[in-house]
Amino acid sequence: MNLAGLAIRFRPVVLTLGALMTLWGAVTFMTMPRREDPEFTIRSCVVSTQWPGAPAVKVEELITDKLEEALDGIEQVEKLRSTTINGLSTIYVDVEDRVTADAIANVWDKVRAKVELVRMPSRDIQPVVNDDFGDTSILVLGVFQIPLEGQATIDPRYAYSPRELEDAADSVRDALRLLPGVAKVEKYGVRDEAIFIETDLGTWSQVALTTDTLRQLVESRNIVLPGGTIDTAQGRFAVKPGGEFDAVTEIESLTVAAAQSGDSANLVSLSDMGMSVNRTYVDPADVLCRFTNSQGTFPAVVIGVTMKSGSNIIDVCDLCTQRVEEMARIEQALPPDIAVVPISNQSDNVSAKIDDVISNVVSAVVIVVIVVLLFVGLRTSLVMAANIPVVVLASIAVIAIFGVQLEQISLASIIIALGLLVDNSAPRNTKKILKISRNVLRAFASRNYSEGYKINKFKLVKETEKDFL
């Protein structure tokens, strides 16, 4: 007995299974994870080491060769690729395909452990292992200052400094990183601060002090070391050495020389030597970030939100935007002239692609109903059209078991499979009728046809439709 016969014989079972699969598929479609691109595992990491001013030959001998020799001992490593230029060593570590996605993190830990054991030419040289390539920001927010209500421009007296913008961005970042589904929140476009010790050349020429000596004095003074503990009858107290710089004034009072006066010596600080200590931003800046809209161009700090694996990108982006609105309007945790605007929102693209799939399913049902209704009848066309959503929903329920998520690759697969399903929905005789009708239209469109050919074609069409019906 064929499948059609078994379905007719066990009709209640088939209807029950069809209803359950449809319901299961509908629930799965509403709850399964969504993302822009499919998840994939990158099996490479980069070990980069900077040695400013060193020639390529020295970097190759003292850094690249040593690191490659150490990394080659890891059994999961398949291949090492290195590039050495003046002042920079770059090594690409490729892992074998047999290593599972869950075990790759352990391999990168081994890489870091091997790199730390390699002795560098100088203590200032530190290799950096970067294995964070697959994370994509699903939501990018711009934090910038806007004119107050009723003003066309920002008053320079009340303009925020880069540090104040960074503080506002920190508030947004701390609020977003606590939301469910958010893996990490990173800041971009932050200007680094630095403390500059400046003076004129005349002052430097009068004292036996060089920049290297001054750097060593500052480094030896600005230390953070454990001071131990003191046990007393009242309890145990921690001792904190007071060597760390906490303010610019402490740097100004740094002793750099001693002036001999008889049997005693007077200590000389930076301020006594006419040196100025200023805290400002690194100039030129490594990165400058600006946001442009219809009101103008403003300095900004960018926040990137990364989603956890298996989360719904639409829900995560909605929670983030809703949380920002709550901070600005309800909690008033942000000043009124600080705007947090989405720059890129991947959930909009995902929603549009899902809507395209739904519209394709609806179009397929309508096309099948119209085409089959013209040649077969209403009842058969409705039965055939009802198969399309049932099959699509059942397929979604099945693929979700294997961990497939709704992203642009799986959605494209569903659309392709839908096209094949619609193409095979029409019965064989209906396809023959369509082919014969197409031949009749071609015959009428041609100028060189005979009356008998036309009549025979019409008779053939009518007889085929009669035999089929």
Side-chain angles (χ1 to χ4, degrees):
M1 184 178 295
N2 55 15
L3 293 178
L6 291 175
I8 295 175
R9 182 177 179 182
F10 301 100
R11 182 178 178 182
V13 177
V14 173
L15 292 177
T16 302
L17 290 177
L20 291 177
M21 291 296 294
T22 304
L23 180 61
W24 183 16
V27 175
T28 303
F29 178 77
M30 299 300 296
T31 58
M32 70 187 305
R34 291 166 168 80
R35 58 187 308 118
E36 173 75 11
D37 299 310
E39 290 183 331
F40 59 94
T41 302
I42 297 179
R43 301 179 177 273
S44 299
C45 76
V46 178
V47 181
S48 59
T49 309
Q50 293 185 359
W51 191 5
V57 177
K58 286 292 185 181
V59 177
E60 177 75 21
E61 293 177 354
L62 300 180
I63 295 180
T64 305
D65 290 344
K66 292 183 178 180
L67 290 176
E68 286 183 341
E69 183 179 356
L71 296 176
D72 193 39
I74 302 176
E75 59 179 358
Q76 293 88 351
V77 174
E78 180 182 10
K79 183 172 58 176
L80 295 174
R81 297 173 286 120
S82 63
T83 302
T84 303
I85 60 176
N86 293 335
L88 179 63
S89 169
T90 305
I91 302 176
Y92 298 89
V93 183
D94 298 335
V95 179
E96 296 178 350
D97 294 337
R98 63 180 179 86
V99 180
T100 61
D102 298 335
I104 285 185
N106 296 330
V107 178
W108 302 148
D109 292 339
K110 293 181 180 180
V111 171
R112 290 185 175 89
K114 290 288 185 179
V115 168
E116 291 179 356
L117 295 177
V118 177
R119 185 176 180 180
M120 293 289 104
S122 174
R123 293 184 302 174
D124 299 335
I125 302 175
Q126 296 293 335
V128 178
V129 180
N130 185 10
D131 62 327
D132 191 6
F133 299 106
D135 295 336
T136 303
S137 297
I138 62 172
L139 180 64
V140 179
L141 302 173
V143 182
F144 58 96
Q145 184 181 7
I146 59 175
L148 291 172
E149 187 177 356
Q151 297 181 0
T153 59
I154 299 176
D155 191 342
R157 297 176 300 174
Y158 306 108
Y160 289 116
S161 63
R163 180 58 183 271
E164 292 172 335
L165 283 178
E166 183 182 357
D167 292 339
D170 288 337
S171 300
V172 177
R173 182 194 61 179
D174 295 339
L176 296 182
R177 68 198 310 177
L178 301 177
L179 298 177
V182 175
K184 60 182 179 179
V185 184
E186 296 181 341
K187 296 183 302 182
Y188 304 96
V190 177
R191 294 194 60 180
D192 295 329
E193 290 186 278
I195 296 178
F196 296 91
I197 303 177
E198 301 174 341
T199 186
D200 54 9
L201 295 178
T203 303
W204 285 106
S205 61
Q206 295 176 8
V207 296
L209 185 65
T210 62
T211 55
D212 292 336
T213 305
L214 181 59
R215 182 184 300 106
Q216 294 175 1
L217 289 173
V218 174
E219 290 178 352
S220 60
R221 171 69 170 79
N222 186 32
I223 56 176
V224 181
L225 293 175
T229 58
I230 298 178
D231 294 330
T232 63
Q234 289 75 20
R236 174 174 296 180
F237 299 91
V239 178
K240 179 182 177 182
E244 183 182 3
F245 289 135
D246 294 329
V248 174
T249 55
E250 296 182 2
I251 302 179
E252 292 178 346
S253 61
L254 177 65
T255 302
V256 295
Q260 194 70 26
S261 176
D263 297 335
S264 62
N266 297 325
L267 301 179
V268 180
S269 63
L270 288 177
S271 59
D272 297 334
M273 298 178 62
M275 295 186 181
S276 61
V277 181
N278 300 318
R279 177 178 178 178
T280 182
Y281 301 96
V282 176
D283 188 21
D286 296 334
V287 178
L288 287 177
C289 181
R290 296 183 181 275
F291 184 89
T292 302
N293 56 12
S294 59
Q295 296 179 334
T297 301
F298 310 96
V301 176
V302 176
I303 297 176
V305 181
T306 305
M307 182 180 67
K308 291 182 180 179
S309 177
S311 301
N312 191 327
I313 186 174
I314 299 177
D315 294 341
V316 174
C317 291
D318 290 343
L319 285 175
C320 291
T321 53
Q322 182 180 357
R323 185 69 182 92
V324 171
E325 289 291 332
E326 291 178 355
M327 293 180 62
R329 301 183 181 278
I330 301 177
E331 300 177 2
Q332 296 183 354
L334 297 175
D337 53 351
I338 289 292
V340 182
V341 179
I343 299 176
S344 174
N345 193 342
Q346 288 189 358
S347 64
D348 296 337
N349 299 331
V350 176
S351 300
K353 291 175 182 178
I354 293 177
D355 293 339
D356 290 340
V357 174
I358 297 176
S359 63
N360 277 278
V361 173
V362 175
S363 301
V365 173
V366 174
I367 291 172
V368 171
V369 170
I370 294 176
V371 172
V372 180
L373 178 62
L374 294 176
F375 300 99
V376 180
L378 179 61
R379 181 178 180 181
T380 306
S381 64
L382 293 178
V383 173
M384 295 174 59
N387 290 332
I388 296 177
V390 173
V391 173
V392 171
L393 291 176
S395 301
I396 292 176
V398 173
I399 64 175
I401 300 177
F402 299 96
V404 178
Q405 303 179 10
L406 283 183
E407 27 81 12
Q408 58 180 355
I409 303 300
S410 61
L411 292 176
S413 318
I414 293 175
I415 293 176
I416 295 173
L418 181 62
L420 298 175
L421 178 63
V422 173
D423 181 68
N424 294 325
S425 296
R428 185 179 304 174
N429 291 330
T430 304
K431 293 183 178 180
K432 182 185 290 186
I433 293 173
L434 295 176
K435 182 177 181 181
I436 294 172
S437 302
R438 185 170 61 251
N439 293 333
V440 173
L441 294 177
R442 289 178 180 175
F444 274 108
S446 177
R447 295 182 180 179
N448 300 323
Y449 64 89
S450 61
E451 190 70 20
Y453 177 82
K454 182 172 61 175
I455 295 175
N456 291 336
K457 280 294 181 180
F458 273 119
K459 288 183 179 180
L460 181 58
V461 174
K462 292 181 179 179
E463 289 175 358
T464 305
E465 290 179 352
K466 181 178 179 182
D467 294 340
F468 181 76
L469 296 176

